[in-house]
Amino acid sequence: MIELKNVTKIYKINDKKECKAINDVSVILPDSGMIFIIGKSGSGKSTLLNLIGGLDTPTSGTIISDKLEISSFNQTELTKYRSSYIGFIFQDYHILENLTVKQNINLALDIQNQEDDEKVDEILRVVDLTEYVDRYPSELSGGQQQRIAVARALVKDSPLILCDEP
C-alpha cells in the first residue's frame, strides 16, 4: 500500500519564484492492480510518480510505501528502496546509448548485485527483442527502445512498477 499524507512539492525557480507542482495531496493507493493518474500537461503527474518512486522528496508531507516512511529516508535508503522495490518506465526511456539491448536490461540486475541470464533471456522473449540482443539503441525504432525500458522494469520483479506515459 502507498499512502500520501498532505504532500506538497515546491520547486524553486529562482530566488523570488516558486512552482508548486503538488499541493497538499492525500491519497491511499491499493496494494494491487493498475492505477492511472490522469490530468493536463503540467498538472504534477510526473512529479507525483517521482515522489512515490523516491526520485524526488516532498517539500512537506509524508509518503508511506509498504509500511515504510520513504519521505524520511536518506539518500542511501532511497537508493536501496528504488533498486529493490520500484521498477521505472520513463517517458524518455532512460536507456544508455553505449550499451546493447541485453546490457541495458542487465543494468537493472547489476544495480541489485544480481546476475540471471535466464531471466534476462525470458524477458527479452516477453518483449519480443530476442533477435536484437546485441544491437545498440540507435539501431532500433522508438517502440523497440521503449520495450527495452519495459524489459528493464520487469526483469527486477519489483512489487511496484511506475510508468510515466508508457
Side-chain angles (χ1 to χ4, degrees):
M1 175 185 73
I2 296 172
E3 182 175 4
L4 286 80
K5 297 179 184 177
N6 306 103
V7 173
T8 296
K9 178 61 183 178
I10 299 171
Y11 293 103
K12 300 269 186 199
I13 297 171
N14 56 41
D15 289 339
K16 297 178 183 180
K17 290 190 177 186
E18 298 179 335
C19 174
K20 195 176 279 190
I22 302 283
N23 186 22
D24 196 31
V25 171
S26 294
V27 65
I28 298 174
L29 303 175
D31 285 337
S32 64
M34 294 174 127
I35 300 158
F36 297 89
I37 300 168
I38 57 173
K40 293 189 279 184
S41 180
S43 64
K45 301 179 301 292
S46 294
T47 299
L48 184 64
L49 290 177
N50 288 340
L51 290 168
I52 291 169
L55 292 172
D56 207 348
T57 55
T59 304
S60 63
T62 305
I63 302 172
I64 299 167
S65 178
D66 201 28
K67 300 179 184 167
L68 301 170
E69 188 180 326
I70 65 165
S71 51
S72 65
F73 281 6
N74 63 36
Q75 285 304 312
T76 302
E77 293 167 323
L78 281 172
T79 299
K80 184 177 178 184
Y81 168 73
R82 286 188 301 263
S83 68
S84 63
Y85 190 76
I86 304 289
F88 289 100
I89 303 172
F90 298 98
Q91 283 183 45
D92 57 358
Y93 317 139
H94 287 284
I95 55 177
L96 300 176
E97 292 294 326
N98 60 331
L99 298 181
T100 65
V101 168
K102 189 167 189 168
Q103 290 169 330
N104 263 288
I105 296 167
N106 261 322
L107 190 58
L109 295 176
D110 290 345
I111 291 169
Q112 295 177 308
N113 295 315
Q114 294 182 25
E115 190 175 320
D116 192 336
D117 281 338
E118 285 182 27
K119 184 187 269 188
V120 172
D121 290 341
E122 174 59 26
I123 293 297
L124 283 162
R125 280 190 289 281
V126 168
V127 298
D128 196 26
L129 288 175
T130 305
E131 64 188 270
Y132 304 103
V133 68
D134 293 320
R135 291 202 188 170
Y136 291 89
S138 62
E139 302 172 313
L140 302 173
S141 71
Q144 290 167 325
Q145 290 179 35
Q146 186 169 34
R147 284 188 275 152
I148 295 170
V150 169
R152 194 175 47 207
L154 294 175
V155 77
K156 291 173 44 174
D157 286 329
S158 301
L160 179 63
I161 296 178
L162 299 174
C163 307
D164 196 355
E165 296 187 26

